[in-house]
Structures are given as structure tokens and as C-alpha cells.
Amino acid sequence: MTTNDHSDPMMNLSACTLPTVERPTRLAEFDQFFAESVRATHRPDPARLELTLTADADAEPVGRDLAARESACCSFFTFTFQSTLAGTVMRIEAPTAYVEVLDALAARAQTAVAGAGR
């Protein structure tokens, strides 16, 4: 799937206020974040994705910045960060009506983490 794939739920989301022309750039930012800053993904339930961040000092600040910008245009997402024994975990939650969008985001994260060899 490319960032220009208009069948991607992240590209055609009417609840998102980010201009459509800017969505490929945002998806590319997520892809880069996933590849560089996420070492594991976990899906404890359909409405929640958990990303265990790398120990890199930039991982959490980059994640928080991306989460803040995404929350501004996709207010249905809830982002939280928690320090755990495994490292910092970034949680992304979405209401049931938007699980398909979270599914697409989770698939991108899993692909990027697998490609990074973690």
C-alpha cells in the first residue's frame, strides 16, 4: 500500500479535517515514525493499538508531536503515553465506528516494524 492509495481508509476519511492533499504526507510521517521509533505493536482489543517505542531519546517526543497534530484533525483518536517495564508505550484508541481506520494504521505499523527487522 502506498501513501497515495485512495482506497486506504486513512485517505478517504470524512471525519478527518486534514486537507486530502496533505494526507499522503501525514501517512508518510507515520510510516517513518513506525519504522524508526516503534519496536513492537500489540492489539489488545479492536479499538486499541499499542506501540512499544524504541529506547531512542527522540522516539517519545516525535510520537507526541505526531499524536498532537493527528488529534487536531482526527479528533476521534485518543493518544496516550505510558512508561512501562518494556519501555514507553504509545496507545492509540478509536471508537468502534472508526476501528477500520485503526486497522489500517495498525497494518502500516506492523509492516514498518517487520521491515525494520525488530
Side-chain angles (χ1 to χ4, degrees), residues 1-80:
M1 175 181 346
T2 69
T3 54
N4 292 321
D5 182 357
H6 292 287
S7 66
D8 183 338
M10 302 281 302
M11 289 293 295
N12 292 315
L13 188 59
S14 62
C16 179
T17 62
L18 187 68
T20 303
V21 70
E22 293 178 25
R23 291 179 189 182
T25 301
R26 178 66 54 84
L27 287 175
E29 288 182 272
F30 268 107
D31 289 342
Q32 181 176 358
F33 172 71
F34 296 149
E36 295 176 358
S37 301
V38 176
R39 82 179 147 88
T41 65
H42 179 62
R43 194 76 183 267
D45 67 62
R48 187 170 76 217
L49 171 63
E50 295 180 350
L51 307 172
T52 303
L53 304 185
T54 63
D56 179 359
D58 290 336
E60 185 175 347
V62 169
R64 286 184 180 274
D65 174 65
L66 189 54
R69 289 184 292 122
E70 189 64 16
S71 293
C73 62
C74 293
S75 61
F76 57 87
F77 277 134
T78 301
F79 294 89
T80 57

